[in-house]
Amino acid sequence: MRQFLKITATFALALVFMAGTALAQNNNDADIEQLGDFAKASQAQSGSDNVAYIKQTATKASKMADGDEARQFQSGDDNFGKILQLGNKLNFAQQRQSGDNNEARIKQQNRQLGGDVRQVQSGDLNDAFTVQEVANGSSAYTEQSGDENEAFIEQKGSTGPFNAAKNNHASVVQTSDFNYGEIKQYSDMNNADILQSGPDNQATICQGSTCI
């Protein structure tokens, strides 16, 4: 079963759009695409082999979207969640997964003011990835409880006039064994912290232009 929803909005009217999908069967695939400012999207899945995808971007008139919100909630085996936000400022993305073999991915592009990302995973073999580009004043938080988790947060600028990536904060909290946490910030005036409890964990933080 596959659901697809596409919503358009104009900034001039300052409209708020909300979309949501809720799936409780096996092998589901849910997609939401929204164009415009102040869009809200939510997806909830319970079951095996689910895939959830949200894309929020701007209309041709506004070019970059402001104030969008995206949320994904998955409970079950082999889930995959992805959120893509192409915005100008103040976008928010949240993912929560409970179950085995889950993967969570969020990518934000904020040209003026940074966005906010929250990822929480409880289960075995989870992977969480966050990328924030042109991310002045962005915040990213990943929390994992379970075995063999991996968390990656990357905050970076771009080429051209919007190449700074300053005043960002990234945090990873992991409570289990065999966890790996990594944070990369490609500029100065940033803050990063990784907290791990349990044996055989690894943590890496790289700050500055030398990060590769």
Side-chain angles (χ1 to χ4, degrees), residues 102-160:
N102 294 316
E103 182 173 331
R105 291 180 176 268
I106 295 176
K107 182 176 181 180
Q108 284 184 332
Q109 292 181 334
N110 298 288
R111 293 184 65 85
Q112 291 185 359
L113 295 176
D116 189 10
V117 168
R118 294 288 182 267
Q119 293 175 313
V120 177
Q121 295 176 312
S122 58
D124 301 328
L125 304 176
N126 293 316
D127 294 318
F129 303 86
T130 293
V131 177
Q132 293 173 310
E133 295 183 354
V134 201
N136 289 317
S138 288
S139 175
Y141 174 81
T142 299
E143 178 181 331
Q144 296 174 318
S145 59
D147 299 330
E148 301 185 29
N149 295 314
E150 294 187 356
F152 302 87
I153 297 176
E154 185 177 28
Q155 295 171 320
K156 60 183 180 179
S158 69
T159 59

Side-chain angles (χ1 to χ4, degrees), residues 60-78:
K60 292 183 178 179
S62 62
K63 295 184 180 180
M64 301 296 284
D66 295 341
D68 290 340
E69 297 182 11
R71 292 176 170 84
Q72 292 176 330
F73 305 95
Q74 296 175 311
S75 60
D77 300 328
D78 302 318

Side-chain angles (χ1 to χ4, degrees), residues 13-182:
L13 295 178
L15 297 179
V16 177
F17 289 89
M18 301 182 64
T21 56
L23 302 174
Q25 300 176 1
N26 294 334
N27 303 312
N28 292 318
D29 187 345
D31 295 329
I32 294 176
E33 181 177 350
Q34 295 176 311
L35 308 179
D37 300 290
F38 307 109
K40 298 180 186 296
S42 178
Q43 294 172 322
Q45 295 176 317
S46 61
S48 301
D49 304 315
N50 293 317
V51 176
Y53 177 66
I54 295 174
K55 180 179 180 180
Q56 294 173 321
T57 185
T59 63
K60 292 183 178 179
S62 62
K63 295 184 180 180
M64 301 296 284
D66 295 341
D68 290 340
E69 297 182 11
R71 292 176 170 84
Q72 292 176 330
F73 305 95
Q74 296 175 311
S75 60
D77 300 328
D78 302 318
N79 292 317
F80 175 82
K82 182 176 181 179
I83 296 174
L84 175 62
Q85 292 177 318
L86 306 178
N88 200 39
K89 57 185 178 181
L90 302 177
N91 293 310
F92 173 79
Q94 177 187 19
Q95 292 173 318
R96 183 180 294 271
Q97 295 176 320
S98 59
D100 300 328
N101 303 316
N102 294 316
E103 182 173 331
R105 291 180 176 268
I106 295 176
K107 182 176 181 180
Q108 284 184 332
Q109 292 181 334
N110 298 288
R111 293 184 65 85
Q112 291 185 359
L113 295 176
D116 189 10
V117 168
R118 294 288 182 267
Q119 293 175 313
V120 177
Q121 295 176 312
S122 58
D124 301 328
L125 304 176
N126 293 316
D127 294 318
F129 303 86
T130 293
V131 177
Q132 293 173 310
E133 295 183 354
V134 201
N136 289 317
S138 288
S139 175
Y141 174 81
T142 299
E143 178 181 331
Q144 296 174 318
S145 59
D147 299 330
E148 301 185 29
N149 295 314
E150 294 187 356
F152 302 87
I153 297 176
E154 185 177 28
Q155 295 171 320
K156 60 183 180 179
S158 69
T159 59
F162 301 100
N163 57 4
K166 299 180 179 180
N167 300 314
N168 299 309
H169 178 76
S171 180
V172 173
V173 178
Q174 296 171 315
T175 56
S176 185
D177 305 337
F178 306 108
N179 293 313
Y180 179 79
E182 179 177 304

Side-chain angles (χ1 to χ4, degrees), residues 130-132 135 140 151-157 165 168-172 180-187 190-194 204-212:
T130 293
V131 177
Q132 293 173 310
F152 302 87
I153 297 176
E154 185 177 28
Q155 295 171 320
K156 60 183 180 179
N168 299 309
H169 178 76
S171 180
V172 173
Y180 179 79
E182 179 177 304
I183 297 174
K184 291 184 177 181
Q185 296 170 318
Y186 295 87
S187 187
N190 295 311
N191 178 268
D193 58 82
I194 297 176
T204 300
I205 295 176
C206 181
Q207 296 173 307
S209 59
T210 59
C211 295
I212 57 174

